[in-house]
Amino acid sequence: MDAVGSVVLSLDAELGWGFHDLVDPPTERVESGRRGWNAMLELLEEFDIPATWAVVGHLMLDSCDGRHADHPAPEGWFERERGEWQDREDLRFGPDLVSDLLESDVDHEFASHTFSHVLFGHPETDRELAVAELECSTAIAEEWGCSFESFIYPRNEVGHRDVLAEYGVSAYRGWTPNREGVRAVFDSMVRDRSLLVEPYIDEHGLVNVPASLFLFGFEGSARSIAESIWTDPMVALARRGIDEAATSDETFHMWLHPNNLTTERDDQRMRAILSYLDRRRSESDLTVETMADVAQRVRHSRGIDGTPTRVDTQAKASWN
């Protein structure tokens, strides 16, 4: 059987943890995390499109002291949690949202986005800290009756891949330069460069599923101007990537954060992309995969066994 092209959609699900270390976090996006999470779940259910949801492990807690004394985080790492956001449980915890994800009728993949959004690529993040983040994420996932096979690096800062391999991770989202914003539009539309990527097994035995396109990298006045004279550039790029995948045997991997959906305008962008993906899937051999699906496929193509990690059906039944 001939290979067919595929589309992967991954989401960095983090609520306040995506911004807690910033001096001046973007208020609109901080406050949109829950709204965007629910909007994306609804859209994905409407079009029956499975996605890889990389969840910050701390969101799966019901409560904490804000100190995490046994965690080898650098001084001040949890300061905002026990200070400015002490009374903002909606930013620090999200067990209700995670339950909605795991109970979805769509077969989403549950993945890891670390425990507290530690930047693995920073020089300050040593191996001890990386191990602690994986240990905490694994432990809280097990308490929920699930596990993860895929890992998405906060802010796409790749590092400590050996630790991922040690803790049983099979796949991660690698970073592809020039795949967002004006540069992505120029390279694809003007230079006619492909948006497709080729997943591969790296030297640690992990499957790198590179990013093709960040769906919210063209915003502000540039987006408004483009829409007034043409169309939403990110919708155009996403459709182009989907079309490329539909006529090839390669992969188009788009990604976003739920908190990118701050208004109905952003919802409309995602609706346009997902509805187009659904249509192209129905009229061609195009498949929609999760990162775990890709990892399994790549491993099998190399003669390596691998089974994608999905929510355990018995555990899922217990949540209903």
Side-chain angles (χ1 to χ4, degrees):
M1 179 177 177
D2 293 335
V4 297
S6 70
V7 173
V8 176
L9 176 64
S10 59
L11 300 96
D12 302 15
E14 53 199 31
L15 295 186
W17 291 97
F19 311 100
H20 77 107
D21 58 322
L22 302 181
V23 175
D24 187 22
T27 302
E28 186 177 35
R29 286 187 57 195
V30 170
E31 300 296 339
S32 296
R34 287 178 168 270
R35 177 202 181 281
W37 190 306
N38 290 322
M40 281 303 304
L41 273 181
E42 291 175 4
L43 285 168
L44 293 168
E45 288 182 2
E46 178 180 350
F47 296 105
D48 192 24
I49 292 176
T52 295
W53 288 72
V55 178
V56 167
H58 194 288
L59 298 180
M60 302 171 77
L61 299 176
D62 293 310
S63 62
C64 72
D65 61 6
R67 298 188 179 281
H68 306 284
D70 295 332
H71 193 288
E75 184 177 356
W77 182 248
F78 295 104
E79 182 175 349
R80 183 166 261 128
E81 181 184 19
R82 59 179 182 268
E84 182 182 348
W85 288 353
Q86 184 176 5
D87 297 325
R88 294 299 307 273
E89 293 190 356
D90 58 317
L91 301 181
R92 299 163 53 205
F93 308 111
D96 54 326
L97 297 176
V98 178
S99 291
D100 289 343
L101 165 63
L102 297 176
E103 294 170 1
S104 173
D105 291 335
V106 182
D107 198 13
H108 295 303
E109 178 193 4
F110 170 79
S112 175
H113 198 39
T114 73
F115 174 72
S116 63
H117 209 260
V118 164
L119 307 182
F120 273 42
H122 270 204
E124 296 82 2
T125 301
D126 58 18
R127 195 176 196 281
E128 180 187 15
L129 179 53
V131 166
E133 287 284 293
L134 264 295
E135 284 186 347
C136 290
S137 298
T138 300
I140 189 64
E142 289 177 349
E143 290 178 12
W144 279 63
C146 55
S147 60
F148 54 86
E149 181 172 334
S150 300
F151 184 92
I152 290 180
Y153 286 100
R155 298 185 194 146
N156 295 299
E157 295 197 4
V158 176
H160 297 287
R161 287 175 294 155
D162 58 322
V163 175
L164 268 60
E166 180 180 324
Y167 278 81
V169 172
S170 293
Y172 65 95
R173 189 181 70 205
W175 182 238
T176 308
N178 305 324
R179 291 298 178 93
E180 64 178 82
V182 176
R183 183 60 181 271
V185 174
F186 180 80
D187 282 349
S188 179
M189 297 301 186
V190 179
R191 294 185 174 181
D192 197 31
R193 290 187 175 176
S194 175
L195 290 165
L196 301 180
V197 295
E198 183 177 358
Y200 63 90
I201 300 177
D202 71 10
E203 64 270 29
H204 298 281
L206 304 172
V207 178
N208 181 354
V209 188
S212 293
L213 181 68
F214 175 45
L215 294 176
F216 284 84
F218 197 98
E219 306 307 307
S221 58
R223 175 181 177 181
S224 298
I225 293 172
E227 289 178 342
S228 68
I229 61 177
W230 179 41
T231 187
D232 184 338
M234 304 316 296
V235 172
L237 281 185
R239 288 175 175 170
R240 180 185 175 97
I242 292 167
D243 286 341
E244 282 191 278
T247 56
S248 74
D249 61 356
E250 297 183 79
T251 301
F252 174 58
H253 184 181
M254 48 189 176
W255 70 281
L256 71 154
H257 311 85
N259 59 50
N260 287 130
L261 278 66
T262 61
T263 66
E264 291 186 5
R265 181 189 186 195
D266 302 319
D267 299 353
Q268 292 169 2
R269 169 182 284 178
M270 292 309 304
R271 174 178 290 279
I273 293 171
L274 296 176
S275 63
Y276 189 77
L277 173 57
D278 183 44
R279 178 166 70 84
R280 293 294 281 136
R281 175 178 57 178
S282 68
E283 62 188 20
S284 69
D285 292 329
L286 181 69
T287 63
V288 177
E289 297 183 296
T290 64
M291 288 175 57
D293 293 331
V294 174
Q296 181 190 37
R297 171 167 57 82
V298 171
R299 288 177 180 277
H300 279 321
S301 71
R302 303 293 189 275
I304 304 173
D305 288 335
T307 302
T309 298
R310 297 296 182 88
V311 179
D312 180 78
T313 53
Q314 291 183 347
K316 188 171 184 176
S318 70
W319 297 320
N320 294 329

